[in-house]
Amino acid sequence: MKHEESLMSGNSIAEVPARVLAGQLNLDAVWTRVHDKHGMPGADGVSVGRFGRQARANLAALQSRLAGDRYQPLPLRMAEVEKKSGSTRLLLIPCVTDRVVQSAVAQWLGARWNPAFDPNSFAYRPGVGVASALRALASFRERGFHWVLDADIRSFFDSIDQNLLLEKLKRWLGAASPLVHWIEQWLAGPVWDGAALGLVRRGVPQGSPLSPLLSNYYLDDFDRRLRAAGIQFVRYADDFLVLARTPFDLAEARQKVEESLRDLNLILSEEKTQTTTFEQWFRFLGAEIQGDSILLPFDKNKKSKSQVYVAPVMPPALLRAYRTGHLKATRPFEWKERRLETAAAPPSSAPSTRDKALHRLSGVGETSALDALRRRIP
């Protein structure tokens, strides 16, 4: 398939030298985006504002280090934020300098990968999104695909096999590519939890500007296998639907889905995966779907995520020791999710389903900063 060949053949850009690659990265453009997002400081404590006060000099020095193959990322800063369920999500925050480089690499790789990704992959891609995914879903319904496997990959971002991902990158970019070297450092880089450095052995860090693109790249093999088998699907990151005309076809498709995920060392989340139909009610990407109706909630202002714990910045002496190679992570990074103890929530004032606006698909339209330190909650 042309789609497959375009991602698996990287001969034209394989092993681009660091000085050439550094010249192709648009650090100025991505710095504007990093600045506008106002993210929290990384482990070095340098804020976006502080970096920006000498942005031109900082970007020039960064470009020089990249071109001279002298770039070294700093440890990730651990942060936990509250999820809607009351549990917590782990974020691993790069420092501002590393966010700039990762954003530039994501832009460079995305320009080459995004056009070749499967047309039914809708997350983290320019020009498509939730609205596009819902339109595709409605199209399948209109063509008689009424049986649905509502699926979710268990702990997807934390379960990505780094070795498989790097092997695929090496085949496409060349093993000696500086891009492979940088990505390997970002994936295997240590995490500062406020007390010590720990090594991450699996997954891609949530909080990294490059992780969404790498997640799509990792699942591209999965998409291609489903398409080659004639399986109809709509995927948005690790949330996806498989569509079939009969329950028997859907059962066969599920077997292929599970087999394809196993080859990537991934599994379905049994708690979040179900078989349903359009006649029954189900939810996808925030929309409630039943029959030929798609119910969308009213737009709400996004709320800041409540912080559970943010590691303090690394002391300057430890940072110097890390930069000079005298401090290294020697143990695996371990994170035990902390459940939040909250008072019983008051009755919800959110609109009920019957109060939600019913929109035609043609009308469907398309993290806040963690900027305060918190002590660890026992």
Side-chain angles (χ1 to χ4, degrees), residues 253-310:
R254 176 166 184 162
Q255 290 182 352
K256 186 66 176 179
V257 164
E258 292 178 336
E259 173 190 318
S260 301
L261 289 177
R262 277 197 303 271
D263 289 344
L264 293 172
N265 292 329
L266 301 171
I267 60 173
L268 290 176
S269 168
E270 292 298 330
E271 300 82 9
K272 298 180 181 180
T273 300
Q274 64 170 341
T275 296
T276 184
T277 68
F278 278 97
E279 285 65 41
Q280 302 174 29
W281 177 94
F282 67 97
R283 184 189 294 272
F284 184 57
L285 304 181
E288 298 184 6
I289 296 140
Q290 186 171 30
D292 60 357
S293 298
I294 295 182
L295 293 164
L296 299 173
F298 292 114
D299 290 337
K300 298 178 183 178
N301 294 328
K302 289 186 177 180
K303 295 182 179 179
S304 299
K305 295 180 177 67
S306 299
Q307 301 170 58
V308 179
Y309 171 71
V310 177

Side-chain angles (χ1 to χ4, degrees), residues 31 34-35 38-41 46-53 96 99:
W31 158 244
V34 171
H35 175 271
H38 300 293
M40 70 177 291
V46 176
S47 66
V48 171
R50 178 177 163 188
F51 186 97
R53 284 194 287 273
V96 175
R99 291 208 291 273

Side-chain angles (χ1 to χ4, degrees), residues 59 109 172 225 319 331:
L59 293 174
L109 288 173
W172 190 73
R225 289 185 64 173
L319 271 174
R331 63 176 179 84

Side-chain angles (χ1 to χ4, degrees), residues 160-179:
I160 289 176
D161 189 313
Q162 293 183 1
N163 291 328
L164 286 181
L165 176 58
L166 288 168
E167 287 172 9
K168 185 176 179 182
L169 285 166
K170 289 175 182 177
R171 289 196 301 269
W172 190 73
L173 290 164
S177 168
L179 267 180

Side-chain angles (χ1 to χ4, degrees), residues 15-330:
E15 304 188 18
V16 175
R19 58 180 177 77
V20 175
L21 182 58
Q24 296 176 355
L25 298 180
N26 193 341
L27 300 185
D28 290 321
V30 298
W31 158 244
T32 300
R33 293 206 296 271
V34 171
H35 175 271
D36 291 346
K37 287 185 177 180
H38 300 293
M40 70 177 291
D44 60 354
V46 176
S47 66
V48 171
R50 178 177 163 188
F51 186 97
R53 284 194 287 273
Q54 294 182 317
R56 181 167 296 182
N58 288 333
L59 293 174
L62 179 56
Q63 192 113 35
S64 176
R65 292 200 301 275
L66 291 167
D69 208 10
R70 293 178 284 105
Y71 165 73
Q72 179 191 25
L74 290 179
L76 300 165
R77 183 183 185 186
M78 173 184 164
E80 288 179 275
V81 296
E82 182 182 3
K83 295 197 294 187
K84 291 180 180 179
S85 63
S87 60
T88 58
R89 182 187 306 281
L90 174 67
L91 299 180
L92 303 178
I93 311 298
C95 69
V96 175
T97 298
D98 295 333
R99 291 208 291 273
V100 171
V101 182
Q102 290 189 30
S103 298
V105 168
Q107 182 186 68
W108 192 91
L109 288 173
R112 290 155 176 80
W113 287 351
N114 278 312
F117 285 150
D118 193 276
N120 281 357
S121 168
F122 294 99
Y124 317 130
R125 299 176 65 189
V128 295
V130 171
S132 307
L134 294 177
R135 291 190 188 100
L137 179 60
S139 175
F140 281 121
R141 179 194 62 206
E142 292 164 2
R143 287 183 283 150
F145 292 88
H146 290 172
W147 284 84
V148 180
L149 178 68
D150 181 5
D152 180 272
I153 301 172
R154 182 188 296 273
S155 302
F156 170 58
F157 280 88
D158 295 332
S159 299
I160 289 176
D161 189 313
Q162 293 183 1
N163 291 328
L164 286 181
L165 176 58
L166 288 168
E167 287 172 9
K168 185 176 179 182
L169 285 166
K170 289 175 182 177
R171 289 196 301 269
W172 190 73
L173 290 164
S177 168
L179 267 180
V180 172
H181 178 59
W182 298 340
I183 293 173
E184 190 169 13
Q185 290 184 89
W186 292 329
L187 291 177
V191 175
W192 172 249
D193 66 3
L197 294 176
L199 291 172
V200 177
R201 300 297 190 186
R202 195 171 187 84
V204 295
Q206 296 191 62
S208 159
L210 185 59
S211 292
L213 181 66
L214 290 179
S215 71
N216 269 343
Y217 183 66
Y218 191 75
L219 284 178
D220 185 66
D221 286 336
F222 172 74
D223 294 343
R224 285 190 284 108
R225 289 185 64 173
L226 295 194
R227 186 162 293 279
I231 296 172
Q232 309 299 329
F233 67 96
V234 176
R235 184 173 69 79
Y236 195 95
D238 55 329
D239 294 327
F240 64 96
L241 303 177
V242 174
L243 294 303
R245 288 191 167 94
T246 71
F248 309 103
D249 292 340
L250 192 65
E252 290 182 3
R254 176 166 184 162
Q255 290 182 352
K256 186 66 176 179
V257 164
E258 292 178 336
E259 173 190 318
S260 301
L261 289 177
R262 277 197 303 271
D263 289 344
L264 293 172
N265 292 329
L266 301 171
I267 60 173
L268 290 176
S269 168
E270 292 298 330
E271 300 82 9
K272 298 180 181 180
T273 300
Q274 64 170 341
T275 296
T276 184
T277 68
F278 278 97
E279 285 65 41
Q280 302 174 29
W281 177 94
F282 67 97
R283 184 189 294 272
F284 184 57
L285 304 181
E288 298 184 6
I289 296 140
Q290 186 171 30
D292 60 357
S293 298
I294 295 182
L295 293 164
L296 299 173
F298 292 114
D299 290 337
K300 298 178 183 178
N301 294 328
K302 289 186 177 180
K303 295 182 179 179
S304 299
K305 295 180 177 67
S306 299
Q307 301 170 58
V308 179
Y309 171 71
V310 177
V313 300
M314 289 182 70
L318 292 185
L319 271 174
R320 287 194 297 271
Y322 180 80
R323 285 190 170 110
T324 57
H326 294 94
L327 174 64
K328 295 183 179 180
T330 57

